[in-house]
Amino acid sequence: ETGYNLAVSAAGYATYFNSAKAFTMPIGATGYVWDEGKIQAAYDEPAEVVPANEPLVIKAAAGNYPLWFTTSTEKTYKSAGMNDLEGTDVETAITDDDAYYFYGLSLNASSDPASVGFYWMNPTGAAFTNGAHKAYLKLAKSTPAGSQAVNGFPFNGTTTGIEQIEAGADAKNAIYDLSGRRVNKAAKGIYILNGKKVLVK
């Protein structure tokens, strides 16, 4: 095993995590950590080496990028307490924790490419099944954003700040399908409203 093929979607972002192997950041790609409530550029030098155990958001033009494995003894932002992202090496059902909200990289309910960011993957912000070599955000409910039950942090086409959305009453009255996606209107089927399953005939 010499590398990993990273697929970047049309939205221009992907996540990556490897607990055991360092890799070389592809030319034209930038690695971001989550610190102080936003994504921040951490690996933006050409062919910069990313140490193992550093969960990242990677921004690049849509396409496939080889992440070539290498070695590194550098300290990670994660170990320095400057990266709140988490990751899994294999597809994993994350252990739930009532003190945290869990977010995955996604688009909003309208699938607008410009809305890419971290969103609840479950209607209540509970833990979910994370993919192999993917990163996710685990946000303490005691933080200002967490205490407002914010269910999404879109990047808004920039990498300098995060806008809080769908807080308070809007989040409480939101309708979700059984896949955890927010919908604007419930057609026939089973939906989740205020944490309860509702059958629409």
Side-chain angles (χ1 to χ4, degrees):
E1 187 181 31
T2 58
Y4 177 87
N5 182 58
L6 181 74
V8 178
S9 71
Y13 289 90
T15 66
Y16 182 70
F17 173 78
N18 193 314
S19 68
K21 296 182 182 292
F23 68 93
T24 302
M25 184 68 66
I27 301 297
T30 301
Y32 294 85
V33 298
W34 182 281
D35 188 36
E36 297 181 349
K38 62 184 177 182
I39 55 171
Q40 305 203 41
Y43 300 94
D44 55 2
E45 297 295 325
E48 187 168 6
V49 173
V50 179
N53 209 35
E54 182 85 282
L56 292 177
V57 172
I58 296 178
K59 181 180 181 182
N64 294 313
Y65 294 84
L67 306 181
W68 298 113
F69 294 148
T70 184
T71 58
S72 173
T73 58
E74 293 295 318
K75 191 174 184 180
T76 62
Y77 286 81
K78 181 72 177 173
S79 63
M82 299 170 62
N83 185 3
D84 294 328
L85 297 177
E86 304 285 345
T88 53
D89 286 313
V90 297
E91 185 173 291
T92 303
I94 304 166
T95 302
D96 206 8
D97 187 329
D98 288 340
Y100 289 86
Y101 289 127
F102 296 82
Y103 301 80
L105 185 72
S106 183
L107 303 177
N108 66 7
S110 302
S111 297
D112 177 7
S115 71
V116 64
F118 281 115
Y119 293 87
W120 284 357
M121 306 306 285
N122 277 321
T124 61
F128 55 91
T129 298
N130 197 52
H133 296 301
K134 300 297 183 186
Y136 63 93
L137 177 62
K138 182 179 177 181
L139 181 66
K141 293 180 179 179
S142 59
T143 65
S147 65
Q148 295 177 40
V150 178
N151 69 3
F153 297 95
F155 301 158
N156 290 330
T158 70
T159 55
T160 57
I162 303 296
E163 178 182 307
Q164 298 177 8
I165 65 165
E166 299 174 344
D170 289 341
K172 182 178 179 182
N173 297 321
I175 303 170
Y176 298 87
D177 64 18
L178 293 181
S179 298
R181 294 174 296 195
R182 185 170 178 169
V183 296
N184 295 325
K185 185 177 180 182
K188 289 183 179 180
I190 300 174
Y191 295 87
I192 298 174
L193 176 63
N194 295 334
K196 296 181 180 179
K197 288 184 180 179
V198 176
L199 174 63
V200 179
K201 297 181 179 180

